C-alpha cells in the first residue's frame, strides 16, 4: 500500500515536471502589455474653454512590433456620474520599445467636471503590421490625474 502511494506521488511529480516547460512557454508567449496612463488634466481657454488630456502610452512589444494604429473610444463621465462626452482618440504611431505622450482637447468640458474616463472600446489596433483582436486585454490603464481611468 505504501509502495503504491509512493508510486502515485512520483507519477504526479513527473507529470508536473513534464507540464512545467509548456506552462513556462505559454507565459512567455503571452502578448506584451500596453501601459496607458492618464497623466494630467489641464484647463484650456483658447480657442474655447475645455480640458486638455495628457496620456502616456508605453510599447513593450519586441523590436519589430511598432504600434501603427491604436484608436480608442473614450467615455468621459461628469462629477454627477453621468456621461458627459464620448471621444475617439488616436494614440499611435509608437515605435517598439518606446514611450509616447499624446494629448487631446475636450472643448466645452472643464477639467473640474471630469470624474472618470473609461476605455469603452478599442476601435483599431495594429501592431507589427497586423491587426490585433485582443488589444483591449493588453491595455493596462492607470491614472496620476486624480481621476479614475479604466476599462
Amino acid at each position: 500500500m505504501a509502495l503504491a502511494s509512493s508510486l502515485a506521488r512520483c507519477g504526479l511529480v513527473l507529470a508536473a515536471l513534464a507540464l512545467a516547460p509548456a506552462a513556462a512557454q505559454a507565459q512567455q508567449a503571452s502578448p506584451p502589455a500596453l501601459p496607458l496612463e492618464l497623466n494630467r488634466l489641464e484647463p484650456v481657454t483658447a480657442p474655447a474653454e475645455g480640458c486638455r488630456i495628457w496620456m502616456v502610452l508605453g510599447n513593450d512589444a519586441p523590436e519589430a512590433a511598432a504600434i501603427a494604429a491604436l484608436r480608442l473610444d473614450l467615455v468621459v463621465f461628469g462629477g454627477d456620474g453621468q456621461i458627459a462626452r464620448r471621444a475617439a482618440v488616436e494614440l499611435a504611431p509608437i515605435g517598439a520599445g518606446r514611450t509616447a505622450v499624446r494629448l487631446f482637447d475636450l472643448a466645452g468640458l472643464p477639467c473640474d467636471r471630469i470624474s472618470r474616463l473609461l476605455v469603452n472600446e478599442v476601435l483599431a489596433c495594429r501592431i507589427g503590421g497586423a491587426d490585433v483582436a485582443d488589444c483591449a486585454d493588453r491595455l493596462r490603464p492607470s491614472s496620476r490625474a486624480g481621476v479614475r481611468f479604466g476599462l
Side-chain angles (χ1 to χ4, degrees), residues 68-113:
L70 182 59
R71 190 173 316 112
L72 304 179
D73 173 23
L74 293 181
V75 176
V76 182
F77 291 84
D80 59 2
Q82 291 186 347
I83 295 171
R85 181 77 48 85
R86 189 173 179 193
V89 298
E90 178 64 56
L91 301 176
I94 303 168
R98 302 289 308 259
T99 300
V101 175
R102 301 289 186 253
L103 54 110
F104 57 94
D105 292 348
L106 294 175
L109 186 61
C111 294
D112 61 358
R113 296 225 176 123

Side-chain angles (χ1 to χ4, degrees), residues 9 21 51 60 69 71 102 111 113 115 124-125 135 140-141 149:
R9 267 190 244 124
C51 187
D60 296 336
R71 190 173 316 112
R102 301 289 186 253
C111 294
R113 296 225 176 123
S115 67
C125 183
C135 218
R140 300 293 177 261
F149 178 51

Side-chain angles (χ1 to χ4, degrees), residues 7-31:
L7 288 175
R9 267 190 244 124
C10 285
L12 288 174
V13 169
L14 288 174
L17 290 173
L19 292 175
Q25 191 175 26
Q27 286 178 348
Q28 290 173 356
S30 66

